[in-house]
Amino acid sequence: MNMMSDAATEKAVNAPADEPVIKMRGKDVCVFYGPKQALFDVNLNIRENAVTALIGPSGCGKSTFLRSLNRMNDTIDTCRVTGDITLDGEDIYDPAIDVVELRARVGMVFQKPNPFPKSIYENVVYGPRIHGLVRNKADMDEVVEKSLVRAGLFNEVKDRLHEPGTGLSGGQQQRLCIARAIAVSPEVILMDEPCSALDPIATATVEELIHELRENYTIVIVTHSMQQAARVSQRTAMFHLGVLVEEGDTDKIFTNPDDPRTQDYITGRFG
Amino acid sequence: MSIFLLVTIVCVLGVVGYVLARSRVSGLETDSSVSYHSRPGYHGMHMAIATVLPALLVLAVWAISSQVVIGNVVKSSISQEVLGDSAAREGLTMGIVSSISRGLTLLNAEELKQAANGIDAARPLLAAKGVAIATDASDPMVTAAFRYNGLEQTSTFWRSIVVILAALVCGGWAWTQLGARVKARNRVEGVVLGLLILASSIAILTTIGIVLSMIRETGRFFASVPPLEFFFGTVWDPRFAAAGATESAGQFGLLPLLAGTLYIALVAMLVAVPIGLFAAVYMAEYAGPKLRSVAKPLLEVLAGIPTIVYGFFAVVTVGPFLRDLSAQISGIFTGDASSFIQAQSVLTAGAVMGIMLIPFVSSLSDDIITAVPRAMRDGSLGLGATRSETIKRVILPAALPGIVGALLLTASRAIGETMIVVLAAGVAARLTINPFEPMTTVTVKIVSQLTGDLEFNSPQTLVAFALGITLFVLTLGLNIYALYVVRKYREQYE
C-alpha cells in the first residue's frame, strides 16, 4: 500500500490540477524518547490546501508526529527521529536545512494559548521581525492588520493593539496565536489541539477560522474531538499506540472505516 | 531535679499518654459500632499535648519567676550597708553573691561547713574549684549566698512536684475526654496552627524589637549630635578621646561612609550582574542536564565561602595584582612605573564582592528563568526564532520582574557586606570619586565604633546605632522598591 501511494504521489507532483498535491510526506517515521519508541514506521502524506486531522487516544503519538513536522522535537534533549519527512520534496531533517527557515515555513499553534507577555501588536510582529520580513513601521502596521484580519480578531482588538496580549480571553488569545503564526506567511500550519482549552463558542470561532485558512494554507490539526475532526478536516489519520492505523478522506473514515480500531475509537468504545 | 531530667520525665509521660489513649480508642473503635469523630492517632496526640504542653508552660513560668523572686528575697535580706547605695553597686553585690552561690554548689558537705564560717574561709575553697571571688566580697554576702542556695533548692524541689502534677492532672483530664464525639483532631490541629503562628510571629517580633532598641539608642545619639550634622556632614572623624567628654566630640558626617557603601556596592553589582546573568542564561537555556547537575552546585559553592575568606583573597591576590598591573600600565604609557591603583581600593573591594555575589545573581535568576513556562519557549521556537532570539525577546522580558527583584536583593547584600571591605578597601573614611583609592562603608564603621571598651553613653559608640538604623532604612527602602517593581511589571505581564 505504501509503495502504491508513493507511486501515486510521485505522479501527483506533475499531475493535472484535480489530482491532490502532496505538501509534506512522512516516510517510515520513527520517533524515540530516550530508549522508548513513540512512533513506529509512520507513512503519512499531507495534502496541500487541505485540513488533515490526526486523531487517536491519548499517548498514541499524534502530537509527536505533528511536532516532528517542524522539528519542534529538537527542543527535547532525548528525542530522536528516524525516517524521512519532506516538505515540497526537500528532506527537513537534512543537516543542510536551517531549522529556523523550516519553522518559518511550517508554523505551529499550540494546545494552550501562549501569547508572549507583550502587547497584541508586538505578539504579531514578533515573527516577521526576527525573519526580517518587515522593514519599517508601515510594513509592521500592515502585517499586523492583515494577520489579525485573517485570524478574525482585528475588529475585536483594533482599539487596543498596544495592550498586553495576555489580557484577552482564551479564544481571542488562541486566535492571536494563529495570527502570530500566519504573520510569517507559513505554507503549513500545525495545530496541536488548538481548541482544547477553549469554551464551545470560542471553539466554533476558531473552527470557522480554520475553515477559511484552508484556502491559503495547508493545515494539520491534532484533535481529541471527533466532531471537530469531522467538521474541519478533509483528510483524517487515525493513530493508535504509535502506529498509523489508517488514513483517508474524512467522510470515509467516519462512515466506513477499514480498521476495527478506528471503528471502536470513533464510536467511543475506547480512548 | 534538673530541668533536663524534668523535661524528659514530662515527655515520657506524654509518650505514655499517646500510646495509652491511642490503644484505648482503637480498642473502643473495634468493639462498638459507634463511629468516632477522630482517628485514634489524633486522640493519642491530644492526650500527649495535654500532658506535655501545660507542664512545660508551668516549668517555663516557674524557671523565669523563681529567679526574680529568689533574687529579691535574698536582696531584701542583705543590709543596705552591704548592698551599697547606687543601682550599680547593688548589681555588683548581687553579682558577687550569685557567683559565690554558684561556687558553693561545687563544694562537698565538709567544705560547705567550713565555707559557712565566712568569706576568708570560703575564698580559698572556691578558688580551688576554679571560682574566683571579687576582693570586696564580705561575710554577709556568704550568708546571703547560702540563703540563696537554700531557697533555690526548695524551689527546685517544689518545681518538680508542681510540674509533674500539672502533667498528670492535665493528662488525666484529657483521659476523661476520650470519647466518640470529642473533636480531638480539631484540637490537635489547632495546637499545631498555634505553633506555626508562634514561629512566624517570633521572626516578626524580633525585627520589631531590634528596630525599637536601635531607635532608642539612636535617639540618645541625636541628643548629643544634631541630625543635620550627621546626615549632611562630609567629614567622618569621631575622635576616640575620653568617653563622654564633650569638647572632644568629633565630627560624625555620614556622607563619606554612605558614598563609600554605595560606590563599592555599585562596583560589585557591575561585576556580579553581567557575569551572574550570563551564567544563569547559560545554565538555564544552553547547558545540558549533565553539565548543569555538576556546574550549578559548583557555582553555588561560591556562595558558601565565608566572606572573610574573600577578604583574604582580596588582600593577598586581587589587591597586589591590580596594583602591579596598574604600575605596569603606567610604566608603558608614561615611563613612570608607579601604580595608580592602590592595594586597598574601591575597585579591589568591589571586584571581590562582585565575585562573591555572582552565585546569588546566577542561582536566583536561574530559578526565575527556568520558571518561565515552556509554552513561551515553544511559541517562540515554533515561529522560527532561534534560541538566542527566544531568550532575548521572550524569556528575559517575561522573567524581568523576578530578575529585578533578585538583583535588588543582591544589592541589599552588597550594601550590608563588611568583612571584604575591611580587608580590601580599608577603614579610611574619605569622600572621593576615584575608584582606585581606599574608601570605607557604613558597616565597617559600625564594627570599628563598637569594638573597643568605650561605654554605651558617648556619641562615639552611640553613632553605631544611628549608622545601623540608616543602613536598615536603606535596605528596607531597597526591598520595598524591589517589591514595587515586581508588582508593577507583574500587572503589565500577567
Side-chain angles (χ1 to χ4, degrees), chain A residues 72 75 100 103 110 114-118 126 129-131 164 166 180, chain B residues 374-376 378-386 393-394 398 492-493:
Chain A
M72 279 304 280
T75 60
V100 167
R103 289 184 192 147
F110 295 86
N114 58 347
F116 301 132
K118 299 168 182 287
Y126 180 84
R129 210 180 250 164
I130 57 176
H131 293 296
T166 42
R180 188 175 71 183
Chain B
R374 199 186 156 76
M376 292 291 131
D378 281 352
S380 172
L381 293 172
L383 287 170
T386 64
R393 290 162 184 255
V394 174
Q492 200 174 330
Y493 278 134

PDB file of all heavy atoms in Angstrom, chain A residues 72 75 100 103 110 114-118 126 129-131 164 166 180, chain B residues 374-376 378-386 393-394 398 492-493:
ATOM      1  N   MET A  72       9.961  20.511  16.048  1.00  0.00           N
ATOM      2  CA  MET A  72       9.864  21.002  17.426  1.00  0.00           C
ATOM      3  C   MET A  72      10.392  19.953  18.400  1.00  0.00           C
ATOM      4  O   MET A  72      10.708  20.255  19.544  1.00  0.00           O
ATOM      5  CB  MET A  72       8.412  21.354  17.776  1.00  0.00           C
ATOM      6  CG  MET A  72       7.977  22.711  17.288  1.00  0.00           C
ATOM      7  SD  MET A  72       9.036  24.050  17.863  1.00  0.00           S
ATOM      8  CE  MET A  72       8.408  24.279  19.527  1.00  0.00           C
ATOM      9  N   THR A  75      13.717  20.346  20.363  1.00  0.00           N
ATOM     10  CA  THR A  75      13.913  21.048  21.629  1.00  0.00           C
ATOM     11  C   THR A  75      13.890  20.101  22.819  1.00  0.00           C
ATOM     12  O   THR A  75      14.161  20.507  23.937  1.00  0.00           O
ATOM     13  CB  THR A  75      12.820  22.116  21.842  1.00  0.00           C
ATOM     14  OG1 THR A  75      11.551  21.456  21.866  1.00  0.00           O
ATOM     15  CG2 THR A  75      12.824  23.142  20.726  1.00  0.00           C
ATOM     16  N   VAL A 100      15.441  27.171  11.486  1.00  0.00           N
ATOM     17  CA  VAL A 100      14.749  28.451  11.625  1.00  0.00           C
ATOM     18  C   VAL A 100      13.889  28.728  10.399  1.00  0.00           C
ATOM     19  O   VAL A 100      12.718  29.106  10.489  1.00  0.00           O
ATOM     20  CB  VAL A 100      15.788  29.570  11.839  1.00  0.00           C
ATOM     21  CG1 VAL A 100      15.151  30.930  11.673  1.00  0.00           C
ATOM     22  CG2 VAL A 100      16.414  29.444  13.215  1.00  0.00           C
ATOM     23  N   ARG A 103      10.875  26.363  10.262  1.00  0.00           N
ATOM     24  CA  ARG A 103       9.762  26.721  11.149  1.00  0.00           C
ATOM     25  C   ARG A 103       9.051  27.977  10.658  1.00  0.00           C
ATOM     26  O   ARG A 103       7.909  28.222  11.033  1.00  0.00           O
ATOM     27  CB  ARG A 103      10.262  26.901  12.587  1.00  0.00           C
ATOM     28  CG  ARG A 103      10.629  25.568  13.202  1.00  0.00           C
ATOM     29  CD  ARG A 103      11.035  25.708  14.639  1.00  0.00           C
ATOM     30  NE  ARG A 103      11.638  24.475  15.118  1.00  0.00           N
ATOM     31  CZ  ARG A 103      12.599  24.425  16.016  1.00  0.00           C
ATOM     32  NH1 ARG A 103      13.067  25.546  16.537  1.00  0.00           N
ATOM     33  NH2 ARG A 103      13.092  23.274  16.404  1.00  0.00           N
ATOM     34  N   PHE A 110      -0.257  26.112  19.440  1.00  0.00           N
ATOM     35  CA  PHE A 110      -0.186  25.117  20.494  1.00  0.00           C
ATOM     36  C   PHE A 110      -1.518  24.899  21.182  1.00  0.00           C
ATOM     37  O   PHE A 110      -2.483  25.637  20.975  1.00  0.00           O
ATOM     38  CB  PHE A 110       0.873  25.525  21.529  1.00  0.00           C
ATOM     39  CG  PHE A 110       2.251  25.537  20.943  1.00  0.00           C
ATOM     40  CD1 PHE A 110       2.718  26.662  20.292  1.00  0.00           C
ATOM     41  CD2 PHE A 110       3.060  24.424  21.022  1.00  0.00           C
ATOM     42  CE1 PHE A 110       3.979  26.680  19.724  1.00  0.00           C
ATOM     43  CE2 PHE A 110       4.314  24.431  20.460  1.00  0.00           C
ATOM     44  CZ  PHE A 110       4.782  25.558  19.806  1.00  0.00           C
ATOM     45  N   ASN A 114      -0.638  30.610  24.009  1.00  0.00           N
ATOM     46  CA  ASN A 114       0.578  31.069  24.687  1.00  0.00           C
ATOM     47  C   ASN A 114       1.083  32.388  24.111  1.00  0.00           C
ATOM     48  O   ASN A 114       2.185  32.456  23.596  1.00  0.00           O
ATOM     49  CB  ASN A 114       1.679  30.001  24.617  1.00  0.00           C
ATOM     50  CG  ASN A 114       2.038  29.626  23.191  1.00  0.00           C
ATOM     51  OD1 ASN A 114       1.311  29.975  22.268  1.00  0.00           O
ATOM     52  ND2 ASN A 114       3.137  28.950  23.005  1.00  0.00           N
ATOM     53  N   PRO A 115       0.247  33.439  24.180  1.00  0.00           N
ATOM     54  CA  PRO A 115       0.770  34.729  23.728  1.00  0.00           C
ATOM     55  C   PRO A 115       1.948  35.139  24.595  1.00  0.00           C
ATOM     56  O   PRO A 115       2.012  34.774  25.770  1.00  0.00           O
ATOM     57  CB  PRO A 115      -0.416  35.678  23.936  1.00  0.00           C
ATOM     58  CG  PRO A 115      -1.244  35.038  24.978  1.00  0.00           C
ATOM     59  CD  PRO A 115      -1.081  33.565  24.792  1.00  0.00           C
ATOM     60  N   PHE A 116       2.894  35.862  23.991  1.00  0.00           N
ATOM     61  CA  PHE A 116       4.030  36.339  24.767  1.00  0.00           C
ATOM     62  C   PHE A 116       3.555  37.446  25.694  1.00  0.00           C
ATOM     63  O   PHE A 116       2.576  38.131  25.392  1.00  0.00           O
ATOM     64  CB  PHE A 116       5.115  36.895  23.837  1.00  0.00           C
ATOM     65  CG  PHE A 116       5.622  35.892  22.868  1.00  0.00           C
ATOM     66  CD1 PHE A 116       5.732  36.199  21.526  1.00  0.00           C
ATOM     67  CD2 PHE A 116       6.004  34.632  23.290  1.00  0.00           C
ATOM     68  CE1 PHE A 116       6.197  35.269  20.620  1.00  0.00           C
ATOM     69  CE2 PHE A 116       6.465  33.694  22.384  1.00  0.00           C
ATOM     70  CZ  PHE A 116       6.563  34.012  21.043  1.00  0.00           C
ATOM     71  N   PRO A 117       4.271  37.657  26.794  1.00  0.00           N
ATOM     72  CA  PRO A 117       3.872  38.750  27.694  1.00  0.00           C
ATOM     73  C   PRO A 117       4.210  40.115  27.098  1.00  0.00           C
ATOM     74  O   PRO A 117       4.990  40.871  27.646  1.00  0.00           O
ATOM     75  CB  PRO A 117       4.671  38.464  28.966  1.00  0.00           C
ATOM     76  CG  PRO A 117       5.799  37.607  28.547  1.00  0.00           C
ATOM     77  CD  PRO A 117       5.359  36.870  27.328  1.00  0.00           C
ATOM     78  N   LYS A 118       3.666  40.384  25.931  1.00  0.00           N
ATOM     79  CA  LYS A 118       3.890  41.655  25.245  1.00  0.00           C
ATOM     80  C   LYS A 118       2.538  42.146  24.733  1.00  0.00           C
ATOM     81  O   LYS A 118       1.532  41.454  24.894  1.00  0.00           O
ATOM     82  CB  LYS A 118       4.806  41.447  24.039  1.00  0.00           C
ATOM     83  CG  LYS A 118       6.188  40.920  24.325  1.00  0.00           C
ATOM     84  CD  LYS A 118       6.844  40.489  23.018  1.00  0.00           C
ATOM     85  CE  LYS A 118       8.220  39.897  23.218  1.00  0.00           C
ATOM     86  NZ  LYS A 118       9.222  40.901  23.556  1.00  0.00           N
ATOM     87  N   TYR A 126       6.254  39.841  16.092  1.00  0.00           N
ATOM     88  CA  TYR A 126       7.418  39.110  16.600  1.00  0.00           C
ATOM     89  C   TYR A 126       8.095  38.280  15.504  1.00  0.00           C
ATOM     90  O   TYR A 126       9.288  38.407  15.256  1.00  0.00           O
ATOM     91  CB  TYR A 126       6.976  38.210  17.755  1.00  0.00           C
ATOM     92  CG  TYR A 126       8.091  37.407  18.374  1.00  0.00           C
ATOM     93  CD1 TYR A 126       8.898  37.968  19.345  1.00  0.00           C
ATOM     94  CD2 TYR A 126       8.339  36.093  17.977  1.00  0.00           C
ATOM     95  CE1 TYR A 126       9.926  37.251  19.904  1.00  0.00           C
ATOM     96  CE2 TYR A 126       9.369  35.377  18.545  1.00  0.00           C
ATOM     97  CZ  TYR A 126      10.154  35.950  19.509  1.00  0.00           C
ATOM     98  OH  TYR A 126      11.181  35.234  20.050  1.00  0.00           O
ATOM     99  N   ARG A 129       9.473  40.209  12.433  1.00  0.00           N
ATOM    100  CA  ARG A 129      10.650  40.969  12.809  1.00  0.00           C
ATOM    101  C   ARG A 129      11.890  40.081  12.834  1.00  0.00           C
ATOM    102  O   ARG A 129      12.921  40.445  12.283  1.00  0.00           O
ATOM    103  CB  ARG A 129      10.403  41.577  14.182  1.00  0.00           C
ATOM    104  CG  ARG A 129      11.141  42.877  14.366  1.00  0.00           C
ATOM    105  CD  ARG A 129      10.867  43.431  15.722  1.00  0.00           C
ATOM    106  NE  ARG A 129      10.041  44.619  15.681  1.00  0.00           N
ATOM    107  CZ  ARG A 129       9.404  45.112  16.737  1.00  0.00           C
ATOM    108  NH1 ARG A 129       9.480  44.473  17.880  1.00  0.00           N
ATOM    109  NH2 ARG A 129       8.698  46.204  16.634  1.00  0.00           N
ATOM    110  N   ILE A 130      11.807  38.921  13.460  1.00  0.00           N
ATOM    111  CA  ILE A 130      13.013  38.099  13.553  1.00  0.00           C
ATOM    112  C   ILE A 130      13.390  37.512  12.208  1.00  0.00           C
ATOM    113  O   ILE A 130      14.545  37.183  11.976  1.00  0.00           O
ATOM    114  CB  ILE A 130      12.888  36.976  14.610  1.00  0.00           C
ATOM    115  CG1 ILE A 130      11.706  36.083  14.324  1.00  0.00           C
ATOM    116  CG2 ILE A 130      12.829  37.520  15.997  1.00  0.00           C
ATOM    117  CD1 ILE A 130      11.597  34.930  15.277  1.00  0.00           C
ATOM    118  N   HIS A 131      12.423  37.415  11.298  1.00  0.00           N
ATOM    119  CA  HIS A 131      12.770  36.898   9.977  1.00  0.00           C
ATOM    120  C   HIS A 131      13.065  38.012   8.990  1.00  0.00           C
ATOM    121  O   HIS A 131      13.263  37.753   7.808  1.00  0.00           O
ATOM    122  CB  HIS A 131      11.643  36.008   9.453  1.00  0.00           C
ATOM    123  CG  HIS A 131      11.493  34.747  10.251  1.00  0.00           C
ATOM    124  ND1 HIS A 131      12.480  33.798  10.294  1.00  0.00           N
ATOM    125  CD2 HIS A 131      10.504  34.308  11.052  1.00  0.00           C
ATOM    126  CE1 HIS A 131      12.083  32.815  11.098  1.00  0.00           C
ATOM    127  NE2 HIS A 131      10.901  33.106  11.567  1.00  0.00           N
ATOM    128  N   PRO A 164      -1.614  44.424  26.600  1.00  0.00           N
ATOM    129  CA  PRO A 164      -0.998  43.089  26.634  1.00  0.00           C
ATOM    130  C   PRO A 164      -1.885  42.013  26.016  1.00  0.00           C
ATOM    131  O   PRO A 164      -3.104  41.999  26.229  1.00  0.00           O
ATOM    132  CB  PRO A 164      -0.775  42.821  28.122  1.00  0.00           C
ATOM    133  CG  PRO A 164      -1.172  44.027  28.854  1.00  0.00           C
ATOM    134  CD  PRO A 164      -1.688  45.047  27.910  1.00  0.00           C
ATOM    135  N   THR A 166      -1.914  39.057  26.830  1.00  0.00           N
ATOM    136  CA  THR A 166      -2.353  38.129  27.861  1.00  0.00           C
ATOM    137  C   THR A 166      -3.663  38.578  28.492  1.00  0.00           C
ATOM    138  O   THR A 166      -4.270  37.822  29.229  1.00  0.00           O
ATOM    139  CB  THR A 166      -1.274  38.013  28.948  1.00  0.00           C
ATOM    140  OG1 THR A 166      -0.764  39.322  29.214  1.00  0.00           O
ATOM    141  CG2 THR A 166      -0.137  37.138  28.494  1.00  0.00           C
ATOM    142  N   ARG A 180      -0.379  35.314  14.930  1.00  0.00           N
ATOM    143  CA  ARG A 180       1.071  35.375  15.090  1.00  0.00           C
ATOM    144  C   ARG A 180       1.747  34.371  14.160  1.00  0.00           C
ATOM    145  O   ARG A 180       2.786  34.650  13.566  1.00  0.00           O
ATOM    146  CB  ARG A 180       1.386  35.044  16.556  1.00  0.00           C
ATOM    147  CG  ARG A 180       2.794  35.239  16.970  1.00  0.00           C
ATOM    148  CD  ARG A 180       2.926  34.997  18.465  1.00  0.00           C
ATOM    149  NE  ARG A 180       2.774  33.591  18.805  1.00  0.00           N
ATOM    150  CZ  ARG A 180       2.796  33.119  20.048  1.00  0.00           C
ATOM    151  NH1 ARG A 180       2.933  33.946  21.065  1.00  0.00           N
ATOM    152  NH2 ARG A 180       2.671  31.847  20.288  1.00  0.00           N
TER     153      ARG A 180
ATOM    154  N   ARG B 374       7.213  26.651  29.634  1.00  0.00           N
ATOM    155  CA  ARG B 374       7.722  26.053  28.416  1.00  0.00           C
ATOM    156  C   ARG B 374       6.936  26.536  27.193  1.00  0.00           C
ATOM    157  O   ARG B 374       7.463  26.649  26.098  1.00  0.00           O
ATOM    158  CB  ARG B 374       7.606  24.530  28.547  1.00  0.00           C
ATOM    159  CG  ARG B 374       8.499  23.812  27.588  1.00  0.00           C
ATOM    160  CD  ARG B 374       8.334  22.322  27.552  1.00  0.00           C
ATOM    161  NE  ARG B 374       8.818  21.897  26.242  1.00  0.00           N
ATOM    162  CZ  ARG B 374      10.089  21.823  25.927  1.00  0.00           C
ATOM    163  NH1 ARG B 374      11.004  22.084  26.814  1.00  0.00           N
ATOM    164  NH2 ARG B 374      10.474  21.474  24.714  1.00  0.00           N
ATOM    165  N   ALA B 375       5.656  26.849  27.418  1.00  0.00           N
ATOM    166  CA  ALA B 375       4.817  27.295  26.306  1.00  0.00           C
ATOM    167  C   ALA B 375       5.386  28.538  25.639  1.00  0.00           C
ATOM    168  O   ALA B 375       5.263  28.707  24.428  1.00  0.00           O
ATOM    169  CB  ALA B 375       3.403  27.573  26.824  1.00  0.00           C
ATOM    170  N   MET B 376       6.018  29.409  26.446  1.00  0.00           N
ATOM    171  CA  MET B 376       6.618  30.629  25.892  1.00  0.00           C
ATOM    172  C   MET B 376       7.748  30.265  24.927  1.00  0.00           C
ATOM    173  O   MET B 376       7.852  30.771  23.820  1.00  0.00           O
ATOM    174  CB  MET B 376       7.212  31.491  27.015  1.00  0.00           C
ATOM    175  CG  MET B 376       6.194  32.097  27.925  1.00  0.00           C
ATOM    176  SD  MET B 376       5.255  33.337  27.074  1.00  0.00           S
ATOM    177  CE  MET B 376       3.621  32.836  27.495  1.00  0.00           C
ATOM    178  N   ASP B 378       8.263  27.360  23.436  1.00  0.00           N
ATOM    179  CA  ASP B 378       7.727  26.645  22.273  1.00  0.00           C
ATOM    180  C   ASP B 378       7.114  27.619  21.290  1.00  0.00           C
ATOM    181  O   ASP B 378       7.321  27.518  20.086  1.00  0.00           O
ATOM    182  CB  ASP B 378       6.675  25.623  22.720  1.00  0.00           C
ATOM    183  CG  ASP B 378       7.315  24.377  23.278  1.00  0.00           C
ATOM    184  OD1 ASP B 378       8.560  24.266  23.157  1.00  0.00           O
ATOM    185  OD2 ASP B 378       6.604  23.524  23.821  1.00  0.00           O
ATOM    186  N   GLY B 379       6.349  28.578  21.820  1.00  0.00           N
ATOM    187  CA  GLY B 379       5.689  29.537  20.950  1.00  0.00           C
ATOM    188  C   GLY B 379       6.693  30.284  20.105  1.00  0.00           C
ATOM    189  O   GLY B 379       6.497  30.461  18.896  1.00  0.00           O
ATOM    190  N   SER B 380       7.783  30.691  20.737  1.00  0.00           N
ATOM    191  CA  SER B 380       8.786  31.465  20.007  1.00  0.00           C
ATOM    192  C   SER B 380       9.560  30.583  19.036  1.00  0.00           C
ATOM    193  O   SER B 380       9.747  30.936  17.862  1.00  0.00           O
ATOM    194  CB  SER B 380       9.728  32.118  21.009  1.00  0.00           C
ATOM    195  OG  SER B 380      10.787  32.714  20.337  1.00  0.00           O
ATOM    196  N   LEU B 381       9.977  29.402  19.505  1.00  0.00           N
ATOM    197  CA  LEU B 381      10.725  28.499  18.626  1.00  0.00           C
ATOM    198  C   LEU B 381       9.845  28.057  17.463  1.00  0.00           C
ATOM    199  O   LEU B 381      10.310  27.932  16.323  1.00  0.00           O
ATOM    200  CB  LEU B 381      11.212  27.277  19.412  1.00  0.00           C
ATOM    201  CG  LEU B 381      12.260  27.558  20.481  1.00  0.00           C
ATOM    202  CD1 LEU B 381      12.516  26.314  21.315  1.00  0.00           C
ATOM    203  CD2 LEU B 381      13.556  28.032  19.846  1.00  0.00           C
ATOM    204  N   GLY B 382       8.563  27.867  17.747  1.00  0.00           N
ATOM    205  CA  GLY B 382       7.634  27.423  16.712  1.00  0.00           C
ATOM    206  C   GLY B 382       7.456  28.456  15.611  1.00  0.00           C
ATOM    207  O   GLY B 382       7.014  28.122  14.518  1.00  0.00           O
ATOM    208  N   LEU B 383       7.768  29.714  15.921  1.00  0.00           N
ATOM    209  CA  LEU B 383       7.679  30.752  14.897  1.00  0.00           C
ATOM    210  C   LEU B 383       8.983  30.882  14.121  1.00  0.00           C
ATOM    211  O   LEU B 383       9.123  31.749  13.269  1.00  0.00           O
ATOM    212  CB  LEU B 383       7.354  32.097  15.541  1.00  0.00           C
ATOM    213  CG  LEU B 383       5.924  32.258  16.035  1.00  0.00           C
ATOM    214  CD1 LEU B 383       5.796  33.504  16.860  1.00  0.00           C
ATOM    215  CD2 LEU B 383       4.973  32.296  14.861  1.00  0.00           C
ATOM    216  N   GLY B 384       9.937  30.041  14.463  1.00  0.00           N
ATOM    217  CA  GLY B 384      11.193  30.084  13.739  1.00  0.00           C
ATOM    218  C   GLY B 384      12.219  31.001  14.378  1.00  0.00           C
ATOM    219  O   GLY B 384      13.179  31.387  13.725  1.00  0.00           O
ATOM    220  N   ALA B 385      12.025  31.348  15.642  1.00  0.00           N
ATOM    221  CA  ALA B 385      13.046  32.145  16.319  1.00  0.00           C
ATOM    222  C   ALA B 385      14.182  31.230  16.743  1.00  0.00           C
ATOM    223  O   ALA B 385      13.962  30.054  17.029  1.00  0.00           O
ATOM    224  CB  ALA B 385      12.458  32.832  17.541  1.00  0.00           C
ATOM    225  N   THR B 386      15.384  31.764  16.772  1.00  0.00           N
ATOM    226  CA  THR B 386      16.498  30.965  17.278  1.00  0.00           C
ATOM    227  C   THR B 386      16.449  30.985  18.792  1.00  0.00           C
ATOM    228  O   THR B 386      15.684  31.726  19.392  1.00  0.00           O
ATOM    229  CB  THR B 386      17.853  31.514  16.824  1.00  0.00           C
ATOM    230  OG1 THR B 386      18.005  32.804  17.408  1.00  0.00           O
ATOM    231  CG2 THR B 386      17.924  31.635  15.326  1.00  0.00           C
ATOM    232  N   ARG B 393      14.149  38.045  23.487  1.00  0.00           N
ATOM    233  CA  ARG B 393      12.896  38.756  23.256  1.00  0.00           C
ATOM    234  C   ARG B 393      11.718  38.221  24.045  1.00  0.00           C
ATOM    235  O   ARG B 393      10.727  38.916  24.203  1.00  0.00           O
ATOM    236  CB  ARG B 393      12.544  38.698  21.769  1.00  0.00           C
ATOM    237  CG  ARG B 393      13.479  39.545  20.952  1.00  0.00           C
ATOM    238  CD  ARG B 393      13.382  39.118  19.517  1.00  0.00           C
ATOM    239  NE  ARG B 393      14.327  39.841  18.685  1.00  0.00           N
ATOM    240  CZ  ARG B 393      13.976  40.820  17.865  1.00  0.00           C
ATOM    241  NH1 ARG B 393      12.738  41.170  17.780  1.00  0.00           N
ATOM    242  NH2 ARG B 393      14.885  41.427  17.149  1.00  0.00           N
ATOM    243  N   VAL B 394      11.804  36.981  24.483  1.00  0.00           N
ATOM    244  CA  VAL B 394      10.645  36.435  25.181  1.00  0.00           C
ATOM    245  C   VAL B 394      10.965  36.063  26.617  1.00  0.00           C
ATOM    246  O   VAL B 394      10.289  36.488  27.553  1.00  0.00           O
ATOM    247  CB  VAL B 394      10.102  35.201  24.429  1.00  0.00           C
ATOM    248  CG1 VAL B 394       8.994  34.546  25.233  1.00  0.00           C
ATOM    249  CG2 VAL B 394       9.612  35.597  23.064  1.00  0.00           C
ATOM    250  N   ALA B 398       9.975  38.187  30.048  1.00  0.00           N
ATOM    251  CA  ALA B 398       8.984  37.547  30.926  1.00  0.00           C
ATOM    252  C   ALA B 398       9.544  37.354  32.313  1.00  0.00           C
ATOM    253  O   ALA B 398       8.820  37.403  33.303  1.00  0.00           O
ATOM    254  CB  ALA B 398       8.542  36.211  30.339  1.00  0.00           C
ATOM    255  N   GLN B 492       1.672  44.319  34.356  1.00  0.00           N
ATOM    256  CA  GLN B 492       1.772  44.530  32.925  1.00  0.00           C
ATOM    257  C   GLN B 492       1.813  43.205  32.159  1.00  0.00           C
ATOM    258  O   GLN B 492       1.399  43.132  31.022  1.00  0.00           O
ATOM    259  CB  GLN B 492       3.044  45.319  32.654  1.00  0.00           C
ATOM    260  CG  GLN B 492       3.053  46.006  31.313  1.00  0.00           C
ATOM    261  CD  GLN B 492       4.289  46.873  31.194  1.00  0.00           C
ATOM    262  OE1 GLN B 492       4.800  47.389  32.178  1.00  0.00           O
ATOM    263  NE2 GLN B 492       4.784  47.013  30.003  1.00  0.00           N
ATOM    264  N   TYR B 493       2.343  42.180  32.794  1.00  0.00           N
ATOM    265  CA  TYR B 493       2.631  40.966  32.046  1.00  0.00           C
ATOM    266  C   TYR B 493       1.654  39.821  32.239  1.00  0.00           C
ATOM    267  O   TYR B 493       1.613  38.915  31.436  1.00  0.00           O
ATOM    268  CB  TYR B 493       4.044  40.464  32.388  1.00  0.00           C
ATOM    269  CG  TYR B 493       5.100  41.196  31.613  1.00  0.00           C
ATOM    270  CD1 TYR B 493       6.239  41.672  32.222  1.00  0.00           C
ATOM    271  CD2 TYR B 493       4.941  41.409  30.264  1.00  0.00           C
ATOM    272  CE1 TYR B 493       7.199  42.347  31.491  1.00  0.00           C
ATOM    273  CE2 TYR B 493       5.889  42.074  29.535  1.00  0.00           C
ATOM    274  CZ  TYR B 493       7.018  42.549  30.159  1.00  0.00           C
ATOM    275  OH  TYR B 493       7.948  43.206  29.438  1.00  0.00           O
TER     276      TYR B 493
END
